Amino acid sequence: MADNLSDALKKLKITAIDSTADSLEGCLDCLLQALAQNNTETSEKIQKSGILQVFASLLTPQSSCTAKVANIIAEVAKNEFMRNSCVDAGLIPPLVQLLNCKDQEVLLQTGRALGNICYDSHEGRSAVDHAGGAQIVVDHLRSLCSKTDPANEKLLTVFCGMLMNYSNENDTLQSQLINMGVIPTLVKLLGIHCQNAALTEMCLVAFGNLAELESSKEQFAYTNIAEEIVKLFKKQIEHDKKEMIFEVLAPLAENDIIKLQLVEAGLVECLLEIVQKTVDSDKEDDIAELKTASDLMVLLLLGDESMQKLFEGGKGSVFQRVLSWIPSNNHQLQLAGALAIANFARNDGNCIHMVDNGIVQKLMDLLDRHVEDGNVTVQHAALSALRNLAIPVVNKAKMLSAGVAEAVLKFLRSEMPPVQFKLLGTLRMLIDAQAEAAEQLGKNVKLVERLVEWCEAKDHAGVMGESNRLLSALIRHSKSKDVIRTIVQSGGIKHLATMATSEHVIMQNEALVALALIAALELVTAEKDLENAKLVQILHRLLSDERSAPEIKYNSMVLICALMGSEPLHKEVQNLAFLEVVSKLRSHENKTVAQQASLTEQRLAVES
């Protein structure tokens, strides 16, 4: 065989230009046979022989050998080391030209050759791009789309594969295909050829490739992809096939329009069926399928319209099924159930309905099962749901009397920042305008000490921000001297002073209001800490800074007036030229600021 191969290569080189078709055919058949027996070794010999350059001249539509030459190129390009050699030998332009011919076998082998050269090869893709190969293939797909004979389906499969190799993990080339309108064509292909496993699979892989791009989702939304893919999904029995469809569904379901289309196409029912079948299984595939199905279910609920459609006023069968996941013994289902409730709890109407129908107790029972060595993701999800449910004003008192604050406080020992973050957010929502609860929590030394500790969590900006905001909220909503004393004794003042310099206006404002209450109710107790926190200098900076929001300027002046009751702080105010800064603010465009500036100026003048 080796001798035959060497002879064939020599003969090809000599006779390629003016040989008869018959002698060429024999040499090419010999090469194909050798490749079938040992592709790598034969490809190396072909590379060394320099025959690839000769192939460029053989790739003509008129030649009867063209399909065989393209087939040989397709076979050698299965080897990574041969792809650049094919490009360097100038094979891409003649191959792309062959895409215009009518011969089905030539088209098939040319598609294979180009697809294999493009596989994981930047040079291959660039050369095909430069020669305009993609557009011709997209046009072929469009024109051949409706023909269902086996030979045509084979060609369509090869062309889909070629485009997939051409654009895989390359955003620029994927965008190019999207602009050429490949998405509606592929969706149409999936619908017409759903009985053809190889072509269907190729379409799915192509969708998976393209669906990551934002621009593709807009195009997908204008097709019937949801209907086609759900139809296909219902037919699948094998785990691998379902997994393949899941990989397409996940990125598509990030788009809100497609979420709704998938819900209307009946995807949710399929997912619930998978959950039911796999929930008690300990098989690896079933566990993976349960996770994917329940995760996708949660993702569908992130769209406002799709979520509301499934909620159905709290009477929807999907909502009821999801509720049944929360008391389950399966951690994945507990997690998905809690996340689903958090997603349903995105408007006041839903939240009020759920609280009135006993959801809070279910979530507290779930949290109780995860206090000791619990599952962090489940803790985080259940706290997220409680936080969202606590947003409507009418729910706060109900949730407080149900014991939510106490249930949440059990997680105060958690060292996991995501859990800490949600715990803080839930408590802050619960005490909003709830004076009694704010006072009770504000006098809880353990809680306040933990908050002060978390105010220094510099590695976790979210936890740090929420701790500061809860500290301020305890004072603002309770207006209690006891709470202020607890916070002063725990070292919280310096954090409120720092919070007044936050880049977020809302946090600055919350800090200034809390500090003004401290100065009005417990100035003597807090005096030393306010001095050490350099609060007067902070206020001077806020008032001097033209970028400070009107409400920041207003509250800073209110606070300055309150601080005048303390001798050392009063002295600091006198030492920094506040009169000058404040008098400028009398002409401020905001009337409330201008009025407060006049009052503050009078106060400063009298006290100086």
Side-chain angles (χ1 to χ4, degrees):
M1 186 74 207
D3 292 341
N4 289 354
L5 175 60
S6 302
D7 289 347
L9 287 169
K10 277 183 198 153
K11 202 185 270 187
L12 261 178
K13 220 167 179 184
I14 297 161
T15 60
I17 311 305
D18 54 5
S19 66
T20 63
D22 288 349
S23 62
L24 262 181
E25 291 255 3
C27 295
L28 296 172
D29 285 338
C30 180
L31 258 61
L32 282 168
Q33 232 177 329
L35 284 163
Q37 286 184 359
N38 191 332
N39 191 313
T40 311
E41 199 179 304
T42 306
S43 295
E44 281 170 355
K45 286 184 178 166
I46 289 173
Q47 187 183 36
K48 282 178 190 152
S49 72
I51 200 75
L52 287 176
Q53 281 82 348
V54 175
F55 284 166
S57 62
L58 295 175
L59 291 167
T60 60
Q62 298 80 22
S63 165
S64 59
C65 302
T66 303
K68 277 186 182 166
V69 176
N71 187 0
I72 291 168
I73 297 168
E75 287 302 316
V76 300
K78 287 178 177 176
N79 302 286
E80 192 181 344
F81 65 88
M82 288 299 288
R83 290 171 202 148
N84 282 2
S85 300
C86 290
V87 176
D88 296 340
L91 297 178
I92 301 294
L95 282 168
V96 168
Q97 280 308 307
L98 287 176
L99 290 171
N100 294 307
C101 86
K102 300 279 183 277
D103 185 298
Q104 205 155 17
E105 182 62 18
V106 171
L107 284 174
L108 184 77
Q109 298 304 344
T110 303
R112 284 185 62 233
L114 288 169
N116 289 353
I117 292 169
C118 285
Y119 185 79
D120 234 355
S121 164
H122 172 68
E123 290 75 14
R125 291 169 182 181
S126 293
V128 173
D129 178 22
H130 191 67
Q135 183 67 66
I136 304 171
V137 173
V138 170
D139 292 343
H140 273 308
L141 286 178
R142 206 172 283 132
S143 64
L144 300 170
C145 186
S146 306
K147 298 180 179 173
T148 53
D149 59 285
N152 189 63
E153 288 193 322
K154 196 175 177 186
L155 185 56
L156 287 169
T157 306
V158 165
F159 280 158
C160 280
M162 182 245 151
L163 289 181
M164 188 185 73
N165 286 354
Y166 171 71
S167 66
N168 188 31
E169 290 181 357
N170 185 313
D171 288 1
T172 311
L173 296 179
Q174 285 173 357
S175 297
Q176 183 195 73
L177 293 180
I178 290 164
N179 293 335
M180 288 173 182
V182 75
I183 286 174
T185 305
L186 288 172
V187 174
K188 203 171 159 193
L189 272 179
L190 187 70
I192 295 170
H193 303 274
C194 56
Q195 302 304 324
N196 185 305
L199 184 49
T200 301
E201 204 166 297
M202 212 47 100
C203 284
L204 287 174
V205 179
F207 289 149
N209 259 351
L210 298 169
E212 298 291 342
L213 281 192
E214 213 41 57
S215 57
S216 78
K217 292 178 186 132
E218 289 154 25
Q219 279 213 15
F220 274 120
Y222 287 105
T223 69
N224 62 336
I225 182 70
E227 196 186 314
E228 292 297 355
I229 216 153
V230 171
K231 210 192 307 175
L232 187 67
F233 192 73
K234 285 177 179 170
K235 293 180 191 165
Q236 303 312 319
I237 299 158
E238 291 169 47
H239 169 74
D240 291 350
K241 291 276 167 32
K242 284 188 204 164
E243 199 173 6
M244 201 173 223
I245 299 175
F246 274 140
E247 278 171 18
V248 178
L249 284 169
L252 284 179
E254 286 167 13
N255 177 284
D256 282 2
I257 298 169
I258 300 174
K259 281 186 180 79
L260 186 60
Q261 291 171 351
L262 288 168
V263 167
E264 286 170 344
L267 178 62
V268 172
E269 289 72 15
C270 297
L271 298 175
L272 289 172
E273 199 180 313
I274 287 176
V275 168
Q276 202 173 349
K277 280 182 183 166
T278 56
V279 64
D280 297 318
S281 170
D282 51 9
K283 277 194 215 152
E284 213 171 298
D285 283 356
D286 288 346
I287 293 166
E289 232 169 84
L290 174 74
K291 179 177 176 6
T292 312
S294 53
D295 284 348
L296 190 51
M297 183 79 196
V298 172
L299 182 58
L300 291 174
L301 293 172
L302 276 172
D304 288 338
E305 283 187 76
S306 50
M307 176 271 288
Q308 216 46 48
K309 189 175 178 65
L310 295 170
F311 190 67
E312 290 181 69
K315 298 187 168 52
S317 61
V318 173
F319 172 66
Q320 297 301 328
R321 287 278 287 280
V322 166
L323 275 187
S324 72
W325 292 356
I326 295 173
S328 148
N329 288 322
N330 183 302
H331 281 188
Q332 176 56 35
L333 274 197
Q334 292 171 1
L335 171 64
L339 287 172
I341 297 304
N343 286 344
F344 280 125
R346 284 208 320 281
N347 63 51
D348 283 9
N350 291 4
C351 289
I352 292 162
H353 181 280
M354 285 192 277
V355 168
D356 287 347
N357 283 274
I359 188 67
V360 171
Q361 194 54 53
K362 283 188 169 69
L363 289 166
M364 290 201 305
D365 290 346
L366 176 61
L367 275 175
D368 249 3
R369 295 164 71 179
H370 288 275
V371 177
E372 300 300 327
D373 305 320
N375 182 304
V376 173
T377 50
V378 174
Q379 293 170 0
H380 179 261
L383 289 167
S384 295
L386 287 170
R387 181 199 173 281
N388 289 3
L389 291 167
I391 293 171
V393 178
V394 293
N395 280 358
K396 296 180 197 293
K398 291 174 187 170
M399 289 175 73
L400 285 163
S401 60
V404 171
E406 292 76 12
V408 169
L409 284 171
K410 288 177 187 171
F411 294 90
L412 210 50
R413 291 172 305 190
S414 173
E415 292 302 331
M416 305 305 290
V419 173
Q420 295 166 353
F421 180 72
K422 287 296 176 188
L423 172 153
L424 293 163
T426 308
L427 291 176
R428 187 164 63 78
M429 285 300 158
L430 282 171
I431 63 165
D432 192 5
Q434 307 295 311
E436 199 181 313
E439 181 163 13
Q440 203 181 341
L441 285 172
K443 291 192 293 192
N444 180 330
V445 178
K446 270 189 181 157
L447 169 63
V448 173
E449 283 177 349
R450 195 73 160 131
L451 290 184
V452 170
E453 182 190 326
W454 286 341
C455 282
E456 292 173 4
K458 291 193 170 48
D459 293 343
H460 303 286
V463 172
M464 192 161 81
E466 277 292 349
S467 303
N468 278 302
R469 292 189 76 184
L470 183 52
L471 214 48
S472 154
L474 292 169
I475 295 167
R476 288 182 297 110
H477 297 303
S478 72
K479 300 180 178 59
S480 151
K481 291 184 169 203
D482 288 340
V483 170
I484 292 169
R485 281 197 286 270
T486 307
I487 288 171
V488 172
Q489 282 155 13
S490 302
I493 296 295
K494 63 179 178 187
H495 296 299
L496 292 171
T498 306
M499 184 181 167
T501 65
S502 165
E503 59 194 18
H504 305 291
V505 175
I506 192 165
M507 285 176 70
Q508 281 185 296
N509 221 23
E510 287 171 359
L512 291 170
V513 172
L515 288 162
L517 283 165
I518 291 168
L521 297 170
E522 276 293 330
L523 186 54
V524 178
T525 312
E527 184 179 70
K528 198 81 200 133
D529 286 6
L530 292 168
E531 213 179 330
N532 292 338
K534 302 207 174 351
L535 180 62
V536 173
Q537 287 92 317
I538 288 171
L539 295 172
H540 189 273
R541 278 206 305 278
L542 290 175
L543 288 171
S544 308
D545 189 346
E546 287 174 10
R547 293 165 304 173
S548 293
E551 59 268 41
I552 301 302
K553 291 192 187 294
Y554 174 83
N555 282 322
S556 296
M557 289 188 281
V558 170
L559 183 47
I560 283 293
C561 294
L563 295 176
M564 302 291 272
S566 151
E567 200 177 321
L569 292 168
H570 184 172
K571 263 191 195 142
E572 283 190 31
V573 171
Q574 284 175 322
N575 291 341
L576 286 165
F578 266 91
L579 254 173
E580 198 184 312
V581 181
V582 171
S583 62
K584 279 185 193 166
L585 293 172
R586 278 190 321 176
S587 55
H588 196 278
E589 59 187 5
N590 183 298
K591 285 198 172 71
T592 318
V593 172
Q595 281 171 337
Q596 186 58 39
S598 295
L599 292 170
T600 307
E601 188 182 34
Q602 287 166 21
R603 182 78 191 269
L604 288 167
V606 170
E607 301 275 352
S608 63

